[in-house]
DNA sequence: GGATAATTTGACCGATTGGTAAACATTACA
DNA sequence: TGTAATGTTTACCAATCGGTCAAATTATCC
């Protein structure tokens, strides 16, 4: 007789690890394209290559699947911002933050779209995280940027909007990938496009933030 | 006896104009949040304050509603880019393009989210428009920007990525509004936030594109 | 006012939705 | 190897989905 699913968490079997992994991978595929409401359990089961009830054996509801997926993806998503270092040199810190965010957009576009979908819907599942941990992290990094500006290392600017603009420009290449491809033409895809974007954005932000005394 | 709906387009009555307007307004509300798949006709009918069959009297399918909505919204959406003037002065053209896009994000956030949703899903309903009219328009404006760079009026840069970055930074304030609000705190909403964003972005793009000879 | 066209509604349809129950199959472990 | 725990499947459910239909209502125009 099957044990009530609440007990499942007491000891995790090999099969549990594998199947949950498999399911979340499929869920990422589906949720990142259609959002929560637009995705169906059947779709996810299809992609995961298992039956719907089997899927529901591991995650009791669609909600639970979505929550598990977001939890698992969230931590890594904020890693680049966490790595942003107050002790470092502003130019190289900003440069490598842009690089890292751009690499994530290239290597984890589904994760980017998952969040974008969530934002468009008003962040019903992650609002607390935005107002809590995310805000705190951004506040901390904004203070760093402000200190750089005050000591003349970069131009005076609103650090929050600077962070927003790095987020938006880099994530754009994941979230609006279709549009970027349509406008540039298919020939400009792959690494060339990535390098062009990186070069442009670094130029934009580095020159855009050059301290006042460094301009003519 | 009701006339076949195909004949409806021959002569449009007052009621038709009003109701179609009412429906598209409601559809914008719903589609912009949940995307095409995630939205239901019942939801839209609810918001529009009319019965589902009545709604389907004006638009025969959900698809038809969505198409009509996108058609209606598209033209205005590209207006700022169309207004981008080759004859003008680069700095003021870029400045006012940013302004205009930011105003649209502020005044028409639902329209912005409608497109964002469409992009995330791979643009199933507007791909031809992206590859056709949009690409042509962007190609044209990119040539203008390139000419400005070649004549030393602005720094050399990839004009396509410049356009992408203006799109993404400005639309971010509509599409990721929840996140922006969560991070800035509710007190920083309204026009103050808009002005801060405009100031920051103008600074970023104007300084970021300052021609090489104008830097120290 | 009456005829006619346009609009609106309630009742309904088959397909799909999220989710369940229980029988069945497999695994882990003594 | 036996058996209890774990995993999988088939069949199913009520609710919701996109959409139809015919009857009822309202607007238009002579």
């Amino acid at each position: 007789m099957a044990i009530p699913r609440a007990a499942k968490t007491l000891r995790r079997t090999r099969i549990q690890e594998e199947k949950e992994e498999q399911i979340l991978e499929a869920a990422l595929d589906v949720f990142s394209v259609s959002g929560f409401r637009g995705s169906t359990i059947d779709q996810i089961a299809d992609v995961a290559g298992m039956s719907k009830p089997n899927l529901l054996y591991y995650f009791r509801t669609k909600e639970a699947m979505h929550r598990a997926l977001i939890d698992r993806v969230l931590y890594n998503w904020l890693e680049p911002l966490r790595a942003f270092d107050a002790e470092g040199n502003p130019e190289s810190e900003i440069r490598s933050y842009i690089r890292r965010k751009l690499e994530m957009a290239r290597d984890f576009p589904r994760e980017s779209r998952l969040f974008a979908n969530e934002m468009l819907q008003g962040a019903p599942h992650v609002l607390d995280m935005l107002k809590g941990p995310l805000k705190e992290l951004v506040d901390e990094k904004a203070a760093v940027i402000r200190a750089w500006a005050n000591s003349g290392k970069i131009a005076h600017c609103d650090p929050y909007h600077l962070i927003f603009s790095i987020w938006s420009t880099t994530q754009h290449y994941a979230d609006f990938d279709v549009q970027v491809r349509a406008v540039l033409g298919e020939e400009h895809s792959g690494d060339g496009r990535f390098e062009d974007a990186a070069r442009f954005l670094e130029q934009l932000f580095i020159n855009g933030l050059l301290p006042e005394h460094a301009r003519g």
Side-chain angles (χ1 to χ4, degrees), chain A:
Chain A
M1 191 188 300
I3 258 182
R5 274 179 289 215
K8 219 185 42 180
T9 47
L10 291 181
R11 235 189 304 160
R12 288 165 59 87
T13 66
R14 194 203 75 232
I15 295 184
Q16 271 171 39
E17 308 262 6
E18 288 175 7
K19 290 296 168 86
E20 287 176 10
E21 165 67 32
Q22 215 178 112
I23 291 168
L24 291 181
E25 172 68 20
L28 180 54
D29 257 23
V30 175
F31 281 136
S32 66
V33 170
S34 306
F36 183 75
R37 284 224 47 182
S39 303
T40 73
I41 301 182
D42 295 82
Q43 257 180 298
I44 297 170
D46 238 38
V47 174
M50 55 179 92
S51 68
K52 176 167 66 172
N54 195 5
L55 209 152
L56 287 164
Y57 172 74
Y58 293 99
F59 297 96
R60 280 143 81 159
T61 63
K62 191 171 126 176
E63 275 270 345
M65 273 183 43
H66 192 256
R67 190 164 34 244
L69 180 59
I70 288 207
D71 284 351
R72 167 220 185 65
V73 150
L74 250 171
Y75 186 84
N76 287 334
W77 194 246
L78 291 180
E79 195 48 40
L81 185 55
R82 245 181 259 113
F84 199 90
D85 182 10
E87 308 303 319
N89 154 294
E91 178 171 329
S92 71
E93 281 306 310
I94 288 171
R95 221 182 266 278
S96 64
Y97 184 48
I98 291 171
R99 278 266 159 191
R100 268 192 278 256
K101 285 290 293 174
L102 220 36
E103 280 164 13
M104 298 211 56
R106 180 192 57 185
D107 300 336
F108 306 101
R110 293 175 306 168
E111 283 81 349
S112 183
R113 288 190 202 114
L114 181 74
F115 285 123
N117 254 309
E118 185 66 13
M119 293 304 123
L120 287 176
Q121 281 154 43
H125 305 98
V126 296
L127 194 53
D128 290 345
M129 173 271 180
L130 298 183
K131 290 183 176 177
L134 178 68
K135 178 174 167 46
E136 282 165 37
L137 182 60
V138 174
D139 282 342
E140 179 196 323
K141 301 306 180 179
V144 169
I145 294 170
R146 185 158 280 143
W148 286 345
N150 285 336
S151 62
K153 291 177 182 165
I154 62 169
H156 279 94
C157 68
D158 186 313
Y160 291 94
H161 292 285
L162 169 57
I163 291 173
F164 292 153
S165 64
I166 295 179
W167 285 351
S168 59
T169 48
T170 53
Q171 291 173 10
H172 187 79
Y173 291 98
D175 303 343
F176 285 66
D177 178 67
V178 218
Q179 193 183 57
V180 169
R181 269 227 267 277
V183 168
L184 291 183
E186 290 297 336
E187 65 273 18
H188 279 176
S189 52
D191 276 359
R193 194 181 79 184
F194 172 79
E195 274 308 322
D196 289 349
R199 198 173 311 116
F200 171 80
L201 290 179
E202 289 182 28
Q203 172 189 349
L204 176 69
F205 282 97
I206 298 304
N207 291 338
L209 297 174
L210 229 46
E212 289 78 359
H213 61 76
R215 276 199 297 275

